[in-house]
Amino acid sequence: MSRGSGIVLAASLLLGCANAAASCAHSAARVASPDARVGSIYAPPNTSRRVESLDAQWKFFKGDAPGADNGSFDDSAWTPVTLPHTWNALDGQDGPQTPYYRGVGWYRKHFTIASDLAQRKLYLQFDGANIITDVFVNGAPAGRHAGGFATFRFDITRMAVVGADNLVAVKVDNSLGVDSSGNILLPTGNVPPLSGDFTFFGGLYRGVHLLATDPLAIDVMDFGSPGVYLKQTNVSSASASLAVTAKLANGGASDKTAAVRAVIVDANSRVVQAFSSSKSVPKNGRTDVVLSATIANPHLWNGLVDPYLYRVFIEVSDSEGVTDLVEQPLGLRSFALDPNTGFSLNGAYLDLHGVNMHQDAKDHGWALSNAEIDTKLALIKEIGATAVRLAHYQHSQHTYDVTDRVGFVVWAEPPIVNRINASAEFAANAKEQLTELIRQNYNHPSIVFWAVGNEVNHQPGPSPDELIVSLAGLVPAEDPTRIPAYAADGKIQEATVNWHATACGFNEYWGWYKGVPADFATWADAIHAAHAASPISVTEYGAGANPQSHALPIVVRPGNQTDGEHTEEYQAFYHETYWNEMKRRPFLWGKYVWNMFDFASDGRKEGGAPGMNDKGLVTFDRQTKKDAFFWYKANWSSEPFVYITSRRFANLPAVATDVRVYSNLDSVELSLNGATLGKQAGTDHIFVWHNVAWRTGPNVVAATGSRGATPLRDVVTWTK
């Protein structure tokens, strides 16, 4: 195992330049450290660090191809592809009648390494490949990575040829880890997740890069991390303590004295503080340098209200000048969790209400561009969410970059899902994937919770307690500043595994898989009473909805609802019931809708949408916002709007029907075919006009209101 295994809603809001110093090409010329006087504009120095995209001009073959790692192998019949790529984009979303491909795929690419990279350390960086990846360079094995979601790197300095053509061949395997009878299938059976209610897309579904550094540099082989850790403590509006750990690597043939300087700049690139230290780094060795500082009167990162970010530049120099430079975000904040009063950010209560999100999209699988990720996160911002649970695995670096800038409070988790394998290899890989998650994302201020698993006893298998205890202990060992968390299977309420982490989450589906929606309130009060000292959240709740499926009046029947119609009206009713109970219970520190978007689960066949989990508030193609989306927008967002529900119920069956409107306005007026039906104040953001009688033919219904001088209007036409 390699040691490195380790919408544009405003594009101006979501995009921005992230990790510029670490991702842009720099000249190899040595320069002195730039001016870093407090108040001056900081201009990052050029270094020999270079990152080059290798996403273009790959050849792909679906299946095993013995000998494909050799330069003489004939790949002329293979399919040309550009990364990101998955081989399951279509078969992974069409339902169980055609099971999607789980197996091996091969990728090959020729590329030239520039001559000016001679005497540099050279690495291949993979941003995400699922599940087991074997990499070969010029016929030689570079390494293997087991795990489908983290960045990993391999040192290819000795096998690469500078100034000439090089061949990289990659074998990716997303084979089943467990069969339908629960039997473990190797090799993926030692790598979590073994199963899950989502499609396991295969391939090089994120980017690949060539990374070059000076022999004396920030260590890039630290579990795929940036090699820099910004540990903040004692944060208040008066001051904040910051410890900067820089992991150094010296790939040269002689010992080196490394000077390390950290420069903190504000949002306008003005230097706030600079501090430095030096240390000897042995030849072909590694060492850590720790620098400390106190920041007076910091501008705090304050969630959606003010997601203020500093930047920290870490320079490494030898006697000849700057050799390396890494940039990381810094958002200074404090937080706390109380079992009775919930979550606080910077000493003030913050209601964490939000959504879960998977990383797929229709016809793309997991192979998403940054722009497509921005679209998804902009919709989450539109709804007014304060928190996002990024389930059930590590998401892309771009995702965490955007959550930092937008101000979401993030729950991040590794892919420890459904069940475990009792082998030592499985436990070791689970720990490695959690370590990768933490180290690669340590500096993102939006992340508050490191989860250690999700419903790990959902399927029959070995007891997960020992592993989850170990993972819950790994979190403070890696990062004592954040909160260990776990999402429990709501059907197994009192399992001991539910209580090993500090923050307890429950996945509750009263009214969908069991009982009726009103049962949720009884459950919430009972679990809080039984575990009064434990901070409790609802990490999942939701109901399916096919936007083409409708029924009125709403019929509530106890038990499993999945085998019936997934009507948009029932989903909205379900969420109305849950939210009205949740908002009255501050001890529920977090409330996360399952899910923000419909997502691929190829084994499902229900609700008229095979291959889909349709609990999303937005459809899989992100084109349709379901009624429940606007229910939450009315409750969570300050952006004024009016929205008429059941708008896709094209041919209403009744002679007279209630018309319902969601809005965050104080009052809304309704008109039918140009005649007013009156103005209402509404209750809990719901405005209802009862027994509206339809005429034969089209019926034009308009809801209007205003906030200040801004008029707002929504119109729907129903035909009787």
Side-chain angles (χ1 to χ4, degrees), residues 289-355:
V289 174
V290 181
L291 303 87
S292 299
T294 299
I295 303 169
N297 304 311
H299 189 153
L300 300 182
W301 186 93
N302 198 29
L304 292 176
V305 174
D306 186 11
Y308 188 85
L309 290 174
Y310 296 92
R311 290 177 293 158
V312 180
F313 293 86
I314 299 87
E315 306 167 0
V316 179
S317 303
D318 63 11
S319 59
E320 298 178 28
V322 178
T323 64
D324 200 14
L325 178 72
V326 168
E327 176 195 348
Q328 288 292 289
L330 175 64
L332 296 167
R333 75 285 184 269
S334 65
F335 50 81
L337 202 57
D338 185 273
N340 294 306
T341 59
F343 181 79
S344 61
L345 179 65
N346 300 325
Y349 173 75
L350 176 63
D351 188 53
L352 294 186
H353 53 257
V355 297

Side-chain angles (χ1 to χ4, degrees), residues 448-640:
V448 168
F449 303 96
W450 296 124
V452 296
N454 173 80
E455 297 187 353
V456 185
N457 53 352
H458 182 71
Q459 291 186 354
S463 169
D465 280 281
E466 182 178 354
L467 176 61
I468 297 303
V469 167
S470 175
L471 297 178
L474 180 63
V475 170
E478 286 288 328
D479 180 5
T481 70
R482 289 183 172 95
I483 302 172
Y486 179 80
D489 187 339
K491 293 180 289 187
I492 313 174
Q493 299 273 328
E494 292 302 325
T496 54
V497 71
N498 298 351
W499 307 100
H500 297 317
T502 302
C504 307
F506 282 89
N507 301 341
E508 292 298 322
Y509 291 95
W510 298 98
W512 190 247
Y513 294 124
K514 59 184 179 181
V516 296
D519 292 336
F520 168 77
T522 302
W523 167 84
D525 292 338
I527 198 77
H528 179 54
H531 299 275
S534 297
I536 292 171
S537 67
V538 180
T539 35
E540 295 180 21
Y541 67 102
N546 183 335
Q548 306 307 314
S549 183
H550 301 274
L552 286 172
I554 294 168
V555 176
V556 179
R557 59 181 177 87
N560 193 324
Q561 311 293 308
T562 60
D563 57 351
E565 285 192 86
H566 294 191
T567 70
E568 203 171 355
E569 287 74 23
Y570 184 81
Q571 184 194 47
F573 161 76
Y574 174 102
H575 283 290
E576 289 174 13
T577 304
Y578 266 70
W579 179 248
N580 281 327
E581 295 298 340
M582 286 178 167
K583 69 184 182 182
R584 290 193 278 268
R585 291 170 169 81
F587 62 81
L588 294 174
W589 59 261
K591 287 83 72 176
Y592 301 86
V593 175
W594 187 266
N595 196 283
M596 182 64 187
F597 304 96
D598 293 347
F599 61 90
S601 183
D602 199 57
R604 283 186 176 248
K605 187 179 181 180
E606 59 189 40
M612 196 68 50
N613 187 316
D614 64 357
K615 295 187 185 72
L617 305 179
V618 179
T619 53
F620 195 27
D621 61 7
R622 303 186 296 278
Q623 297 303 303
T624 301
K625 302 169 185 175
K626 303 177 190 179
D627 286 355
F629 174 97
F630 291 95
W631 162 246
Y632 284 110
K633 185 173 180 177
N635 283 272
W636 295 350
S637 174
S638 60
E639 178 190 354

Side-chain angles (χ1 to χ4, degrees), residues 234-321:
N234 304 314
V235 177
S236 70
S237 58
S239 66
S241 299
L242 182 67
V244 178
T245 298
K247 291 184 171 292
L248 303 181
N250 177 12
S254 60
D255 296 350
K256 285 276 190 175
T257 297
V260 179
R261 182 169 72 166
V263 182
I264 304 172
V265 304
D266 64 17
N268 297 313
S269 297
R270 293 193 177 277
V271 175
V272 173
Q273 196 166 348
F275 44 105
S276 59
S277 184
S278 62
K279 197 168 187 179
S280 177
V281 189
K283 61 182 180 181
N284 296 313
R286 292 175 166 84
T287 194
D288 292 353
V289 174
V290 181
L291 303 87
S292 299
T294 299
I295 303 169
N297 304 311
H299 189 153
L300 300 182
W301 186 93
N302 198 29
L304 292 176
V305 174
D306 186 11
Y308 188 85
L309 290 174
Y310 296 92
R311 290 177 293 158
V312 180
F313 293 86
I314 299 87
E315 306 167 0
V316 179
S317 303
D318 63 11
S319 59
E320 298 178 28

Side-chain angles (χ1 to χ4, degrees), residues 187-233:
T188 55
N190 279 326
V191 183
L194 298 179
S195 65
D197 183 16
F198 54 94
T199 297
F200 286 31
F201 294 94
L204 295 177
Y205 69 90
R206 295 184 192 145
V208 175
H209 311 273
L210 174 68
L211 170 61
T213 72
D214 189 274
L216 179 63
I218 300 291
D219 188 3
V220 304
M221 297 298 286
D222 174 51
F223 290 91
S225 78
V228 171
Y229 298 89
L230 309 178
K231 182 180 179 181
Q232 51 179 287
T233 54

Side-chain angles (χ1 to χ4, degrees), residues 71-221:
S72 59
F73 184 89
D74 182 8
D75 62 11
S76 60
W78 287 19
T79 303
V81 299
T82 298
L83 306 185
H85 174 264
T86 177
W87 57 71
N88 300 124
L90 300 180
D91 69 345
Q93 65 182 29
D94 62 359
Q97 68 275 13
T98 54
Y100 70 103
Y101 178 68
R102 300 288 302 272
V104 171
W106 275 89
Y107 297 83
R108 283 166 53 97
K109 176 184 173 65
H110 289 269
F111 66 103
T112 300
I113 299 175
S115 298
D116 65 353
L117 294 182
Q119 310 306 316
R120 302 289 180 266
K121 296 287 292 182
L122 301 173
Y123 307 88
L124 281 180
Q125 174 175 313
F126 294 79
D127 295 337
N130 194 46
I131 298 171
I132 295 178
T133 307
D134 292 285
V135 178
F136 305 85
V137 175
N138 297 327
R144 164 177 280 198
H145 180 262
F149 307 99
T151 295
F152 57 96
R153 303 182 181 115
F154 298 117
D155 186 339
I156 64 167
T157 306
R158 294 184 178 181
M159 59 195 72
V161 182
V162 175
D165 178 71
N166 292 266
L167 169 70
V168 57
V170 184
K171 177 185 177 183
V172 188
D173 186 352
N174 77 328
S175 298
L176 287 165
V178 60
D179 66 17
S180 58
S181 299
N183 299 309
I184 299 297
L185 304 174
L186 300 178
T188 55
N190 279 326
V191 183
L194 298 179
S195 65
D197 183 16
F198 54 94
T199 297
F200 286 31
F201 294 94
L204 295 177
Y205 69 90
R206 295 184 192 145
V208 175
H209 311 273
L210 174 68
L211 170 61
T213 72
D214 189 274
L216 179 63
I218 300 291
D219 188 3
V220 304
M221 297 298 286

